[in-house]
Amino acid sequence: MDSSAPPPPPQPAPRPRHRDRHGRGMRGPIAPPQVPLALSRADAFDDLVRDAADRLERRWPQLADVEFAVQDVPWPQEAPPSDGDPVPLGRLIGADKDRPSRIVVYRRPVEIRAKGRDERALLVHEVVVEQVAELLGLSPESVDPKYGEE
């Protein structure tokens, strides 16, 4: 054998494995954006708060200046409410000179207490009504006559 023979040609690098045999991967989302399946739990919760706020704003026009927000969990420094529940479901932050009043609904505590979608929607509505009642200085029943009904 001749030691001056050229070395064999280099082998191509192995191709990375893909999700499917054609190497394209998934072509697009499983469901279109308008289908509820495409909504995350946080997005669906935001919609519940927005719906509750819109219903109350139609009845109480002075709520147009109030900001409604969703926060995952309360900050640790926030004091527990006086009703004895260690984790609040919502909070009213009063107006300041440079910002309007704000009602915050805490997503995780509400989700933990609700067993299903309908119960979650009812609980979100009740939390929003309670915070609006506190803001307006009224009882929750006068803010929304359907408060407390199932």
Side-chain angles (χ1 to χ4, degrees), residues 120-137:
R120 185 179 315 120
L122 181 64
L123 187 55
V124 165
H125 181 69
E126 287 181 358
V127 170
V128 171
V129 168
E130 289 168 359
Q131 299 305 317
V132 167
E134 185 178 333
L135 174 69
L136 300 176

Side-chain angles (χ1 to χ4, degrees), residues 59-97:
R59 183 174 166 93
W60 300 94
Q62 61 265 42
L63 295 178
D65 297 334
V66 176
E67 291 180 357
F68 291 88
V70 175
Q71 188 175 327
D72 281 341
V73 293
W75 292 99
Q77 66 267 22
E78 293 176 7
S82 59
D83 62 3
D85 192 6
V87 179
L89 302 179
R91 178 174 180 218
L92 170 65
I93 302 171
D96 204 359
K97 62 182 175 186

Side-chain angles (χ1 to χ4, degrees), residues 46-66:
D46 291 348
D47 289 344
L48 291 175
V49 172
R50 194 173 304 114
D51 291 344
D54 289 345
R55 270 190 1 205
L56 291 175
E57 283 178 2
R58 285 193 295 270
R59 183 174 166 93
W60 300 94
Q62 61 265 42
L63 295 178
D65 297 334
V66 176

